[in-house]
Amino acid sequence: MDTVRLEMNLLVKLPSWSVTTAVALLLTACVASESAPPSPPVPTEPVPQEIIDFAFKAATAKEIAGSCRQGFRYNKAYEDAVIAGYEAKYGRNPAWARGDLSKAVKPKAAQDWAIKYIQRRDIVLADARTWCAAGQKEVAEKTLIGRLLIAR
């Protein structure tokens, strides 16, 4: 029996910056099967916007936790609970998850989302203190990003 597990990452190294930042969306469907296809086709159904939004926010929380190690760690248990909710809603193997999900969002849209977030939270990419401040704001405001962070 094939099962699909959604893994969501939004981290890419920018060649001109020395830190990793959330600028490109990579949604990967990992198929647990003995005969997994070598190259999945393009999804036949659009990826639901709430899945894309969650991927961006989860990746942003991972970036905050990685950039502010003394202040936060990533809440993988909460991520798993959210993903379990999506699996209950959409099923364990929805059609949109069987294709190449890296094509679900255009790189420009991912870049624009990341830049707006960085500007809104006054983040300086090379300054861990600004990532920590962003994380503190997310936790205080009880946002999804904040729920994906655990204060140390």
Side-chain angles (χ1 to χ4, degrees):
M1 172 184 253
D2 290 347
T3 59
V4 172
R5 177 72 183 163
L6 299 176
E7 294 289 331
M8 300 178 188
N9 296 309
L10 183 66
L11 304 177
V12 153
K13 280 226 183 227
L14 292 179
S16 62
W17 295 333
S18 62
V19 297
T20 306
T21 189
V23 295
L25 176 64
L26 300 173
L27 289 171
T28 309
C30 300
V31 179
S33 170
E34 293 179 87
S35 61
S39 179
V42 174
T44 55
E45 294 180 14
V47 178
Q49 188 61 44
E50 70 179 329
I51 301 294
I52 294 169
D53 292 343
F54 177 74
F56 276 114
K57 291 173 183 176
T60 301
K62 286 179 184 178
E63 183 61 29
I64 290 169
S67 296
C68 182
R69 290 196 167 118
Q70 74 281 9
F72 298 101
R73 65 184 178 88
Y74 185 73
N75 190 344
K76 179 74 168 110
Y78 187 75
E79 176 190 273
D80 290 344
V82 172
I83 290 173
Y86 290 142
E87 288 175 349
K89 181 176 182 177
Y90 295 107
R92 292 192 55 82
N93 197 12
W96 52 263
R98 287 183 234 135
D100 182 357
L101 298 178
S102 67
K103 295 179 175 40
V105 174
K106 303 235 185 286
K108 176 81 166 90
Q111 173 183 294
D112 290 349
W113 190 94
I115 289 169
K116 286 177 188 173
Y117 181 81
I118 288 165
Q119 290 174 336
R120 187 174 75 246
R121 289 296 189 201
D122 294 321
I123 295 171
V124 176
L125 295 176
D127 186 351
R129 292 174 299 160
T130 63
W131 287 101
C132 293
Q136 290 166 350
K137 288 176 186 173
E138 296 292 347
V139 170
E141 294 172 9
K142 297 179 171 57
T143 65
L144 176 58
I145 293 171
R147 291 189 301 275
L148 287 163
L149 295 169
I150 298 172
R152 293 189 186 264

